[in-house]
Amino acid sequence: AMSRPAMMLLGALFVIACGNPFSTREPEPPEDNTSNFIPPTTAEIVFFNLQLAIGDKNVENYIRSFVDTTSSEKRFVFVPDRGVAARNPGVFVRWGLGDERRYLTRMLQAVPDDSTRGLNFRVSENRPGSNTATIVQSYELIVRHSRQEDNIPAVVRGEARFLLERDGTGDWAIYSWEDFSNGVDPTWSHLKASFQ
């Protein structure tokens, strides 16, 4: 038979292992989607991360795909589709990362969690360099948001010319984004102007 001190020690260990048996359970932390960000060691991974960020509705991971002014001399530049720029004078004059964050946050807030959202890219030109790259992508962005009755499209398509650089840590990021209409569909610029 076990001695009394041994029984008490075993009992104490059991309580410690279980924590306070009368306390309420800690709530689960909210799901952290930062794990769905892949270190952008190639320029191509940057676009994969943008797709993941849209699918996850993760604004921070989206912003991480653009040049960080603290570690780069370059500043992020967005050049809108000319038609959208003409219809929205002044909106894109000094468009920066703060504007990217604001439009995306507002847009994703208008997309119900159970609603379709997705981003597809098709490379039409890729000019890689050792520390900079130019990649032209045809894109299709689907965001089934709740403001379609305001004449804001839920699907946009076009072509975008991205300029990327590799920073001192070896990570790639976008520093310039030019948006072009395909002549048929509304463009990404249209969404940026609508949700800015």
Side-chain angles (χ1 to χ4, degrees):
M2 206 181 275
S3 70
R4 185 172 164 77
M7 291 275 289
M8 286 178 68
L9 180 64
L10 198 64
L13 286 173
F14 179 75
V15 170
I16 292 164
C18 294
N20 180 344
F22 305 108
S23 69
T24 54
R25 205 163 140 269
E26 281 293 299
E28 289 292 310
E31 221 169 277
D32 179 15
N33 286 328
T34 49
S35 58
N36 284 346
F37 185 86
I38 298 161
T41 51
T42 68
E44 290 74 19
I45 293 173
V46 173
F47 299 101
F48 190 56
N49 279 330
L50 286 175
Q51 292 174 302
L52 288 172
I54 295 289
D56 292 340
K57 296 176 71 172
N58 189 314
V59 175
E60 292 312 309
N61 283 355
Y62 175 92
I63 294 296
R64 286 170 74 184
S65 295
F66 301 99
V67 76
D68 178 359
T69 46
T70 60
S71 62
S72 169
E73 289 169 19
K74 292 189 167 62
R75 293 186 63 77
F76 171 72
V77 176
F78 176 71
V79 181
D81 150 30
R82 282 200 300 252
V84 173
R87 289 192 301 276
N88 297 273
V91 166
F92 294 103
V93 173
R94 280 189 293 280
W95 188 273
L97 285 182
D99 302 283
E100 285 291 323
R101 182 188 296 278
R102 190 171 59 246
Y103 103 81
L104 188 72
T105 301
R106 288 179 176 168
M107 183 178 80
L108 292 176
Q109 281 169 349
V111 178
D113 280 340
D114 59 354
S115 216
T116 308
R117 58 193 177 274
L119 171 59
N120 299 306
F121 285 118
R122 196 178 71 249
V123 178
S124 49
E125 189 184 334
N126 189 352
R127 291 207 303 275
S130 54
N131 288 314
T132 59
T134 302
I135 298 180
V136 180
Q137 299 267 22
S138 293
Y139 65 81
E140 178 186 60
L141 173 61
I142 302 159
V143 277
R144 303 271 178 219
H145 56 77
S146 57
R147 291 188 51 200
Q148 292 174 54
E149 69 279 1
D150 297 343
N151 247 354
I152 303 174
V155 180
V156 296
R157 296 183 186 91
E159 193 162 76
R161 180 187 295 126
F162 295 98
L163 305 183
L164 300 94
E165 75 161 4
R166 186 164 62 157
D167 69 16
T169 67
D171 285 349
W172 287 84
I174 295 164
Y175 68 88
S176 175
W177 175 353
E178 278 184 87
D179 194 21
F180 300 96
S181 171
N182 59 17
V184 180
D185 299 294
T187 57
W188 205 321
S189 299
H190 192 130
L191 284 180
K192 292 189 184 196
S194 300
F195 285 101
Q196 55 92 24

